[in-house]
Amino acid sequence: MKKKLHLFIFAILLMTNVFIVSSQNKAFAETVNVVSVNLDQSEITIEIGQSKQLQAIVSPSNASNKEVIWNSKEEEIATVDASGRVTGIKEGTTSITVITKDGFKMSYCTVNVKGANVAVTGIALNKNTLNIDPEESQKILATIYPYNATNKNIKWISSNPSIATVDQYGNVTGVKEGSAFITAVTEDGFKSAYCDVSVKSDWQYWTFQENVPTYKEWTIKFNMQVDPNTVENNVYVMNAYGNKENVKLFAEGNEIVVRPVDVYDGGSGYFLYITKNVKSINGKSLTKGIRMPFTTKN
């Protein structure tokens, strides 16, 4: 009887040991090591004070230890907490690193921190009214408020392009006599300001001269003798930007000669002006000023 009891107890102990060893082997076999880690974003842009969440993706998905450590290269630019939440501190660029505790696998994300957005509150123009001639151009300047607004983009609009046009820089050009409103609208907030443009000509237009030499000298003939004292400041050449060119004037008899001090720019547009303040020696003046456009050869 004692012999059978001993055999039974031995059998139980043997089975228990087998079970324990089997369980330990099973636990050891189920340990899965980390192979890699990746971030859901390789680059982010945030504002100062703004936060953004990064997600670490540990592979394989059934890894036994998925714990990671977060680190910022430059905490004065951006910080990161234990969950991967990144916060902008000051303008600049830095990188956020995630490292797995198992195997020390790493991944990076570039972080760009920009200044906080400053909204546009208003816009003003340097001119509320503008009088120009057909084919004449003048620039309207816009001021955005506040001065440190983030987005200062403007769209320029003409209410009547057949009268006056405007380009993206605020350059207004008269087309024909009439009136038009030139409006500047901010991209941020759609703030607007306008200028009342009147196109009216006090000039008579001479035929457009194309591809003249850059050293061109103009000789203007009148049907009366010219008073030389009325020529200065009343005869001039202006470039397409509205700036006067440096020219010498000679008045003799019924002629005025306009000679450039320096050659004109090649392939450029100019206007020769003779105002109605040019008079004859007996005091008679022109009924209208004269305006002649010309271009130079390249």
Side-chain angles (χ1 to χ4, degrees):
M1 180 68 181
K2 286 183 178 180
K3 186 175 181 181
K4 288 183 178 180
L5 180 61
H6 289 160
L7 290 172
F8 177 73
I9 292 171
F10 176 76
I12 292 173
L13 290 173
L14 183 62
M15 290 174 65
T16 303
N17 287 335
V18 170
F19 176 77
I20 291 170
V21 171
S22 176
S23 298
Q24 288 175 343
N25 288 338
K26 185 177 180 182
F28 180 77
E30 286 183 350
T31 299
V32 179
N33 294 324
V34 171
V35 174
S36 66
V37 63
N38 290 293
L39 291 173
D40 61 333
Q41 298 175 83
S42 60
E43 184 173 3
I44 61 173
T45 299
I46 55 177
E47 296 176 1
I48 294 174
Q50 183 184 10
S51 296
K52 205 164 203 177
Q53 183 68 47
L54 291 177
Q55 299 291 339
I57 304 165
V58 177
S59 297
S61 59
N62 63 337
S64 299
N65 184 357
K66 291 186 177 182
E67 290 185 74
V68 295
I69 300 169
W70 296 90
N71 179 64
S72 171
K73 183 180 179 182
E74 295 165 290
E75 291 195 335
E76 67 272 20
I77 295 176
T79 60
V80 61
D81 66 14
S83 69
R85 190 166 184 80
V86 182
T87 302
I89 304 300
K90 75 172 187 179
E91 288 189 72
T93 299
T94 188
S95 62
I96 300 297
T97 306
V98 63
I99 307 172
T100 63
K101 286 187 176 181
D102 176 15
F104 302 105
K105 307 300 181 181
M106 293 186 292
S107 187
Y108 307 89
C109 175
T110 300
V111 178
N112 303 300
V113 181
K114 63 180 184 178
N117 182 67
V118 179
V120 172
T121 58
I123 183 174
L125 303 180
N126 67 326
K127 297 175 182 179
N128 294 323
T129 60
L130 178 63
N131 297 311
I132 56 175
D133 293 315
E135 298 184 21
E136 180 185 359
S137 294
Q138 286 197 36
K139 187 177 183 68
I140 300 176
L141 300 177
T143 302
I144 303 291
Y145 299 104
Y147 295 110
N148 63 336
T150 303
N151 183 352
K152 293 187 177 182
N153 292 335
I154 298 171
K155 183 177 182 180
W156 294 90
I157 304 167
S158 172
S159 65
N160 195 341
S162 65
I163 300 297
T165 61
V166 63
D167 67 13
Q168 60 180 323
Y169 305 108
N171 296 305
V172 181
T173 302
V175 178
K176 66 180 182 180
E177 292 193 357
S179 297
F181 287 107
I182 300 298
T183 305
V185 183
T186 64
E187 191 174 273
D188 177 16
F190 302 103
K191 309 298 181 181
S192 63
Y194 71 89
C195 177
D196 185 1
V197 177
S198 178
V199 182
K200 187 176 180 181
S201 178
D202 287 328
W203 304 87
Q204 55 176 308
Y205 290 86
W206 283 359
T207 304
F208 176 39
Q209 304 294 315
E210 293 186 86
N211 296 321
V212 303
T214 55
Y215 51 84
K216 176 66 177 178
E217 178 179 295
W218 299 102
T219 300
I220 307 152
K221 293 185 178 182
F222 299 87
N223 56 9
M224 293 184 182
Q225 188 173 344
V226 176
D227 181 356
N229 297 319
T230 65
V231 173
E232 192 71 28
N233 297 322
N234 289 316
V235 179
Y236 53 89
V237 174
M238 187 174 287
N239 62 30
Y241 300 101
N243 301 315
K244 286 185 178 180
E245 293 291 310
N246 191 11
V247 296
K248 282 191 175 183
L249 303 172
F250 305 92
E252 186 175 348
N254 65 338
E255 293 183 351
I256 298 175
V257 175
V258 184
R259 181 182 301 158
V261 174
D262 302 308
V263 295
Y264 301 117
D265 291 334
S268 299
Y270 296 89
F271 294 93
L272 171 63
Y273 286 93
I274 307 164
T275 77
K276 60 183 180 182
N277 294 323
V278 174
K279 297 180 180 180
S280 66
I281 56 173
N282 59 8
K284 289 189 176 182
S285 60
L286 299 169
T287 55
K288 273 191 174 186
I290 296 167
R291 189 169 185 256
M292 185 188 73
F294 66 93
T295 58
T296 54
K297 291 180 181 178
N298 280 314

